[in-house]
Amino acid sequence: MVNFVAYNPVKLYFGKKVIEKLPGEIIPYGKKALIITGKGSIKKLGYYDELTNLLDKSGIEYIEYAGIKPNPVVEDVEKAAELAQKENIDFIIAMGGGSVIDTAKVVSITAGSDLPAWKLMKKEVSPTAAIPLFSILTLAATGTEMNAAAVIQNHKTQEKIGLFHPLMYPKASFLDPSYTISVPKDPTVNGIIDLTAHSLEAFFGDGDAPLSDRLAVANILEAFDYSNDLLKDLTNYDLRARMMWNATIAENGTIMHGRAATGDWGTHALAHHISLLWDTPHGQTLSIVFPAWMKVMKEEIPHRIVKLGQLLTGQKEISADDTIAIFEMFFKALGAPLKMSEIGLNDKDKKELLHLWKQNKPTGLNIKMNENHYEKIIELI
Ligand code: NZQ
Ligand code: ZN
């Protein structure tokens, strides 16, 4: 195991009606909020009114920046940051899924440090301060509610990239699984794929960390255990709660300790290009890329893929191919795509994707990729 620091300052409230604890957490930080929201689901569902009623009762003033799109863009970060500065707000409340919370995180450092958003994303400048951020999660998937990462895309530079900075940890996050009962089947599937992929990224990180291996595999087995039942019974609170916690654990550091860096993340880097080009939901990009990445990488890390299979099944003799097949079958059974053709993309699109990979050179933190890998992966997807 390599040396590590275990640090996660996010206070997480989990369970029914936890939103009621929000005023107690925000009041020490001031009296005026910027609420950041998505394209309207939370308004139709009544969650936004619950929030504003609470703020009204607590004497908190608020303004809103609405309309964050899935696969969020830097232009929204810039506009929301400008509004935050102009209105002199004391804190940000993000209510929504990963796209909304990620946007809010980058707004918090952009406005708080008075620095250009994309330069921050590109690490050309470093944030010096952040506006305090609180998140109310309405979709289980990314784990952003309890980490310091944000992923934003920029169509001008043709990039979708992540930034990790400790100033972006939310001060507190509020996770009420009942808010996720309204999430339709497809985005629920995307969330299951995403949290499974995060557990895999952690597993394929650099270094020997047996307990982290087991924790990552336990997180995957948990998803295997409830997914089928949940997809048949989307309004089941207990199953929604299992998924929500499963997604948080996959990306809050718990399963990553003892490795150099926090995992591999090469698959995410490849998959982000599919979202960038065709606005594909994040989960679908991962069900397409992860099995193909494993098939190509089985030449380089056969022992790790076999180890994954052994821990998942308890069988000593399992092969790398059989291990990869477990994930293909799982994703297929969920109804997720394994090929680009299943989301309406063709050979010309594949060429465009390959071209962008060669241009941007996505790679893992542990398992490095080159053009040869891209060409093999594109053949398989
Ligand atoms: O826009 P609205 O109307 O709010 O609708 C959203 C959106 O269309 C809808 N939704 C949210 N809560 C709902 C709901 N619909 C019904 N009921 C509810 N309770 O769901 C749609 C998808 O939302 P989005 O926020 O885009 O999904 P997700 O949470 O999967 O976030 C995806 C983004 O997070 C990034 C991804 O790359 C992608 O941009 N990631 C962030 C990470 C992080 N910060 O740690 C790690 C991940 O690997 C990932 O890269
Ligand atoms: Zn992800």
Side-chain angles (χ1 to χ4, degrees), residues 111-156:
S113 308
D114 196 20
L115 288 168
W118 196 247
K119 285 199 169 182
L120 284 163
M121 287 303 298
K122 293 287 288 179
K123 299 192 195 129
E124 288 164 16
V125 291
S126 294
T128 51
I131 298 175
L133 168 68
F134 299 85
S135 90
I136 303 162
L137 185 68
T138 64
L139 190 149
T142 62
T144 187
E145 64 277 7
M146 203 176 183
N147 69 36
V151 185
I152 299 292
Q153 61 190 40
N154 184 334
H155 288 279
K156 284 190 201 122

Side-chain angles (χ1 to χ4, degrees), residues 177-253:
S178 2
Y179 284 174
T180 66
I181 276 174
S182 53
V183 178
K185 182 166 178 257
D186 285 354
T188 303
V189 168
N190 293 338
I192 296 169
I193 305 276
D194 196 19
L195 68 90
T196 303
H198 295 165
S199 308
L200 288 171
E201 296 281 22
F203 186 90
F204 289 118
D206 182 18
D208 194 25
L211 179 57
S212 287
D213 282 356
R214 287 177 195 282
L215 291 171
V217 167
N219 220 40
I220 294 168
L221 289 172
E222 170 68 354
F224 286 0
D225 199 51
Y226 65 70
S227 292
N228 202 17
D229 293 340
L230 174 58
L231 295 182
K232 281 195 233 140
D233 187 8
L234 291 170
T235 59
N236 184 311
Y237 175 87
D238 290 323
L239 296 172
R240 287 289 189 182
R242 284 176 72 181
M243 180 179 167
M244 203 169 201
W245 186 226
N246 199 192
T248 303
I249 289 289
E251 254 286 64
N252 74 350

Side-chain angles (χ1 to χ4, degrees), residues 38-42 45 47 68 70-72 96-100 102 105 138-139 141-144 147 149-151 160 179-180 182-184 187 194 198 251 265 268 272 282:
K39 294 248 169 224
S41 307
I42 61 153
L45 293 159
Y47 310 154
I68 303 305
N71 298 319
S99 297
V100 167
D102 282 6
K105 284 177 169 176
T138 64
L139 190 149
T142 62
T144 187
N147 69 36
V151 185
K160 174 169 181 171
Y179 284 174
T180 66
S182 53
V183 178
D194 196 19
H198 295 165
E251 254 286 64
W265 300 102
H268 268 70
H272 285 332
H282 180 57

Side-chain angles (χ1 to χ4, degrees), residues 40-68:
S41 307
I42 61 153
K43 289 191 178 153
K44 281 186 220 127
L45 293 159
Y47 310 154
Y48 184 78
D49 284 349
E50 263 181 64
L51 168 63
T52 52
N53 287 342
L54 262 178
L55 297 178
D56 288 339
K57 269 193 225 151
S58 315
I60 306 286
E61 247 186 277
Y62 50 85
I63 51 167
E64 190 197 356
Y65 187 92
I68 303 305

Side-chain angles (χ1 to χ4, degrees), residues 32-36 63-66 76-89 107 111 131:
K32 187 167 179 185
L34 169 64
I35 306 175
I36 300 185
I63 51 167
E64 190 197 356
Y65 187 92
D76 273 319
V77 174
E78 288 161 350
K79 286 184 208 154
E82 208 182 307
L83 182 67
Q85 286 184 325
K86 187 171 131 240
E87 294 283 338
N88 218 0
I89 55 134
V107 171
I131 298 175

